[in-house]
Amino acid sequence: MSGKTNGTSFELTDRASGRSALLPVRNGTIGPAALDIGELHHDLGVFTYDPGFGGTAATESRITYIDGDAGVLLYRGYPIEQLAERSTFMEVAYLLLLGELPSARQLQQFSASIRYHTMINESLLRFFNGFHHNAHPMAMVSAVVGSMSAFYHDTTDIHNPRHREIFSHRIIAKIPTIAAAAHKHSLGQPFIYPRNDLDYAGNLLHMMFAVPCEAYPVDPVASQALDLLFILHADHEQNASTSTVRLAGSTGANPYAAISAGVSALWGPAHGGANEAVLAMLEQIGTVDNIPKYLAMAKDKSSHFRLMGFGHRVYKNFDPRAKIIRAMCHKVLERLGRTDNPLFELALRLEEIALKDEYFVARKLYPNVDFYSGVIYSAIGIPRSMFTVMFAIARSVGWVAHWQEMISDPAMRIGRPRQLYTGPVRRDYVGVEQRG
Ligand code: CMC
């Protein structure tokens, strides 16, 4: 094969056959251009091979931009640092879904619509009784979100923009109610209904921690911290769970079922499950003296141990979300009067030691969004098994925004990757009596 480019297309020639393909170069507004290989198989009879999709743009998108080398994350063009400093989760949700920051009136209407949808059908609530008390909350959330498809199947026409809007608002509004119900089920406590006079994060804390026999004043430090964590987790372009939602949704499947697939994909420790795994790891390490032993394990290829909360497919310099969360840890612990937090101290030392280690430096492995988030969740009383559920609540906004973007694109096609087949070549069936 040989190739040449004129800037707008790339010509690839197979010298053996003399056939060539003209691959158009597609430019975004920022970031690397992409070679359009849609006709490659037709023209040259070959596929591209990219396990893990490290070099493949699966779609065009206008929602989120990441520059992994520079540590840049933009939602609809706005830097994450500015949104974290000045915005709210509801405003960010509006921005991600609709593309622009809302006016005061638009924000009020949007928030009111999300509040309006916070209750879930009582039958859906009864599903929780089918789960054992120690079921992982992510298993319950995935199942119950998927079950929403049974409630809203006939009434959801994915080609109707108003139906799509109602679906979006329902998911964002009801995921906290489902998450809190999963938590209450684990505790054996009564479910607590949403309170629509509270803001999004405050209402979640209320549903998770209030009991019917006592007043529960929402701690503003906790609800502000949660709101900020939700902003930071709201979207991250074509990550594994978002790509899962897109792929499932591309078949025309019920969108609630597609979101449930996203929750399942998020659960894994390489993705959203890392926040839970980080806390487990820090507890396992226990003291600063043990750090070298665990770092050696993380570097040992024969061990399955990885430094959880470290490394990222895209960020190769730093994860801007991790920087914000680390700074936030100091503030939150101070405001809660818990500056003496051994796990946070241990995490800081682990980061310091790992960042000087040749193995982590050479591979450009830095703390990611999940490294410090668990410290904050713990400090505000959220149990470890609920950490990834918190991530799912925030990411529901990104999933819905991407699903909307995909479905409303007239050029949408079913997602259908190809493969490099390495199995047996054609062979004839042999009867069981003739097999050795
Ligand atoms: N600890 C030890 N070694 C690591 C780690 C780690 N956390 N992460 C990557 N490496 C090594 C890996 O072994 C490989 O080494 P070598 O080149 O010698 O074979 C090299 O670094 C490249 O790693 P990779 O697995 O090819 O990278 P990837 O882009 O496929 O994986 C990752 C990215 C995030 C899955 C991975 O870094 C990882 O498993 N990190 C720990 C889990 C984690 O924190 N996940 C949360 C990601 S951020 C939030 C989210 O996406 O939900």
Side-chain angles (χ1 to χ4, degrees), residues 270-272 301 306-311 313 359 363 368 370:
H271 192 8
K301 299 293 177 198
R306 278 193 165 198
L307 207 53
M308 300 312 290
F310 254 74
R313 170 60 63 81
Y359 174 95
R363 289 169 182 75
N368 59 50
D370 288 326

Side-chain angles (χ1 to χ4, degrees), residues 7-63:
T8 57
S9 60
F10 189 90
E11 189 178 3
L12 198 61
T13 305
D14 177 4
R15 288 213 189 99
S17 66
R19 289 163 74 189
S20 63
L22 203 57
L23 311 177
V25 175
R26 299 191 53 152
N27 291 299
T29 43
I30 34 175
L35 281 183
D36 184 341
I37 55 149
E39 294 300 317
L40 184 65
H41 181 244
H42 174 264
D43 293 345
L44 281 186
V46 294
F47 292 131
T48 52
Y49 179 67
D50 185 20
F53 308 113
T56 298
T59 185
E60 192 180 307
S61 180
R62 304 164 70 88
I63 301 173

Side-chain angles (χ1 to χ4, degrees), residues 236 239 266 269-274 278 298-299 301 305-314 316 319 321 359-360 363 365 368-370 391 395:
H236 215 227
N239 56 85
L266 183 74
H271 192 8
V278 168
K299 296 189 277 187
K301 299 293 177 198
F305 183 82
R306 278 193 165 198
L307 207 53
M308 300 312 290
F310 254 74
H312 198 276
R313 170 60 63 81
V314 185
K316 299 297 174 198
D319 179 339
R321 304 165 302 171
Y359 174 95
F360 291 90
R363 289 169 182 75
L365 302 171
N368 59 50
V369 68
D370 288 326
F391 194 154
R395 188 55 59 84

Side-chain angles (χ1 to χ4, degrees), residues 247-259:
L247 199 56
S250 77
T251 68
N254 181 293
Y256 296 94
I259 299 294

Side-chain angles (χ1 to χ4, degrees), residues 395-416:
R395 188 55 59 84
S396 68
V397 168
W399 293 331
V400 162
H402 282 270
W403 178 86
Q404 283 266 26
E405 183 178 66
M406 178 186 71
I407 295 285
S408 48
D409 178 357
M412 183 196 92
R413 298 170 77 197
I414 183 172
R416 201 330 184 161

